[in-house]
């Protein structure tokens, strides 16, 4: 059969060729390819797919979709000024969870990166090719709300990741939105409680220059505990540019020149925390004796530093998987199974604090 | 205008509505949306897009594509047994380069993960929705060749990343394939030459369990230099499971029990190198006095360890960007601008060796 397609490469293989070669009707081939699989036995399915492969049959997907109106694709919109957003382990773990859930169901993921000013949403708007959207937003609440309005124009089921339903969705969109979020505020509370078991007078929290609502919630949790602590503690928030190694150390150098040495560094994520640890170690300070350091997220790199980093483990993979399950349920039943899902985080104290 | 669409949400907005609101002809709207932009002035383009946005106009992309036959999407196929493949900084940097090149041209990226056995290629085969493909393959040469044949069935322009044209493409596919690869063999040569400037008798190279042609080339470069060195050096290759921290340390524990302590560890990547460094440090050895350690790739984490890791910097971002440029040229001119492109790598000696 393969030789037949090779001997006449210019003739387009049709569904009838596939049907004849597989010994089934064209309708059966169509059922298999359009995933009306319940109507076709497993062996026949396998045979049809194998014949499609051997003949190099390319179903005219665009035409097929005009009939089925199912694109078998989910869009993942990530609003981040850095083109390197995928190298953030949080985004990568979210993505892995989504892929693991949706891939086996035959869905592809279509990635759209966008700057917070929303310019990147224009191709998305023009070329909507997905059955549902997931989004991870950054920027101020005003920017995120504006972006939400543009997403709503796509009129697709939408899962917002790392946003609180009440803050961002309320009033702006209909029922076809749900949120999956980790308990970042609880993580901030856990870090503060842990720090208060030891000495901490002068605390600096490292955050990216751009606003992420998750970072705001981590800070809120930290403040909620520290504001009730006596004696009073100093807590300052230090923006660290693109949150990379070099930018973080530059921000710390400027901070120390102005405010003196802190005794505690709360990294908004593990990468900034490790950059801070190396910064102070290079200046002869001993962690945790002279300076305590904590991170956030717990993806592998917490083990890379010496001493290992106290961190809060993020369920990012589970968030991605749960978002995928919510989408599958929505596409099957016409509604999301929940409005908001909040996943727990866990602090692990290690040698750095 | 926005209120009009809200007041009658069930009526579908047509291209005529957009044209009327923007004060242009439907043909002009079509030209803008189909990116025949040269025929329309910049101000008009912006006005049409703004009106589309305000009215919530959703062009029927499937129908449009039947006419234009351009999908404005590029597929990225990554063959890796781990669902976490995106968290690998090499893949993330490739992806960032591709996105930076293709995104501004209006292309989306569609991601397909697949296991080396190729089962995951079936949805890809059934649902070809892209103008071109990029692929990063893993597995044995036999597995990669089998996967190549399946990719060729998609009959799309194909850029293979981190493969040598002569090894994988020759004879298997037509002219519509090009490769973009970094000089991993040269990186292996540079590491061996660096190691020979100091003491190294018993060398172990850490590699992932699954075969990647890049790792094979790194090993070949290392061997080419060491095989000519006198006195003779011992070089053993140690597979480290999923190349994660825990698997790498477990493999090293078994290795040391059987072969004794090496004096040099060559990490196939930085992550395995750091896991090895921490393994030996935890056993009281001093790096580099008692044991020298090198990595490969140079993405940020080389700075996280103490001492910092000697590594080979990968041009992964440039590879992704160049692959994207090759695709754009291919789609415009009908042929790839090159058959193979080999990018240089650079060794940086740091405190670990």
């Amino acid at each position: 059969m393969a030789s037949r397609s090779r001997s006449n490469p210019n003739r387009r293989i049709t569904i009838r060729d596939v049907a004849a070669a597989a010994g089934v009707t064209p309708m059966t081939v169509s059922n298999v390819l359009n995933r009306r699989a319940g109507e076709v036995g497993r062996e026949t399915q396998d045979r049809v797919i194998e014949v499609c492969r051997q003949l190099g049959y390319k179903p005219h997907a665009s035409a097929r979709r005009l009939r089925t109106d199912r694109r078998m694709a989910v869009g993942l919109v990530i609003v981040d000024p850095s083109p390197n957003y995928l190298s953030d382990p949080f985004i990568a773990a979210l993505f892995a969870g989504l892929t693991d859930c949706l891939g086996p169901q035959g869905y592809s993921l279509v990635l759209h990166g966008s700057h917070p000013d929303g310019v990147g949403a224009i191709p998305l708007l023009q070329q909507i090719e997905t059955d549902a959207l997931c989004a991870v937003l950054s920027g101020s609440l005003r920017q995120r709300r504006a972006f939400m309005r543009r997403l709503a124009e796509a009129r697709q089921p939408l899962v917002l990741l790392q946003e609180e339903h009440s803050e961002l969705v309320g009033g702006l969109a209909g029922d076809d939105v749900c949120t999956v979020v980790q308990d970042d505020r609880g993580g901030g509370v856990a870090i503060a409680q842990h720090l208060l078991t030891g000495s901490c007078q002068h605390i600096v929290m490292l955050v990216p220059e751009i606003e992420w609502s998750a970072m705001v919630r981590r800070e809120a949790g930290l403040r909620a505990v520290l504001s009730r602590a006596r004696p009073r503690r100093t807590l300052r928030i230090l923006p660290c540019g693109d949150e990379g190694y070099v930018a973080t150390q530059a921000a710390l150098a400027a901070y120390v020149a102005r405010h003196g040495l802190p005794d505690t560094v709360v990294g908004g994520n593990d990468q900034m925390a490790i950059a801070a640890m190396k910064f102070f170690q290079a200046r002869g300070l001993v962690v945790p004796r002279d300076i305590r350091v904590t991170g956030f997220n717990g993806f592998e790199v917490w083990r890379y530093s010496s001493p290992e980093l106290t961190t809060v483990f993020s369920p990012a993979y589970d968030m991605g998987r749960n978002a995928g399950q919510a989408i599958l349920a929505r596409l099957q039943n016409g509604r999301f199974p929940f409005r908001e899902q909040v996943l727990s985080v866990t602090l692990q104290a290690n040698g750095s604090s």
Side-chain angles (χ1 to χ4, degrees), chain A residues 217-229:
Chain A
R217 291 196 296 278
R218 290 170 201 176
E219 178 190 336
L222 200 64
R223 278 194 194 285
V225 175
L226 293 177
S227 66
R228 289 193 305 271

Side-chain angles (χ1 to χ4, degrees), chain A residues 56 60 79 111 123 177 200 213 224-225 229 247 264 298-300 333 351:
Chain A
H60 204 314
V79 178
L111 271 156
V177 183
C200 61
S213 68
V225 175
T264 306
F299 303 117
E300 201 88 339
N333 310 325

Side-chain angles (χ1 to χ4, degrees), chain A residues 123-241:
Chain A
L124 177 67
L125 174 75
Q126 288 181 267
Q127 190 97 9
I128 308 275
E129 289 296 321
T130 49
D131 299 309
L133 295 174
C134 286
V136 184
L137 307 183
S138 63
S140 67
L141 184 58
R142 190 184 56 75
Q143 285 177 307
R144 277 150 46 224
R145 283 195 169 141
F147 210 99
M148 263 296 291
R149 280 191 289 272
R150 306 196 77 166
L151 284 174
E153 287 162 10
R155 297 180 193 195
Q156 291 188 23
L158 173 62
V159 180
L160 283 170
L161 291 154
Q162 284 293 68
E163 294 287 349
E164 289 184 324
H165 201 281
S166 57
E167 181 174 72
L168 198 63
V169 180
L172 278 174
D175 291 336
D176 216 6
V177 183
C178 76
T179 57
V180 179
V181 63
Q182 72 184 17
D183 184 11
D184 287 295
R185 192 178 184 285
V189 166
I191 289 172
Q193 288 170 339
H194 166 72
L195 291 174
L196 289 174
T197 63
S199 145
C200 61
Q201 300 305 321
H202 175 174
I203 305 168
V204 57
M205 179 178 179
L206 313 180
V207 300
E209 190 78 41
I210 191 166
E211 187 175 319
W212 292 88
S213 68
M215 288 287 171
V216 172
R217 291 196 296 278
R218 290 170 201 176
E219 178 190 336
L222 200 64
R223 278 194 194 285
V225 175
L226 293 177
S227 66
R228 289 193 305 271
R230 294 296 173 271
R232 283 189 168 282
R233 268 72 173 183
T234 303
L235 170 64
R236 291 198 187 87
I237 307 300
L238 177 61
C240 296

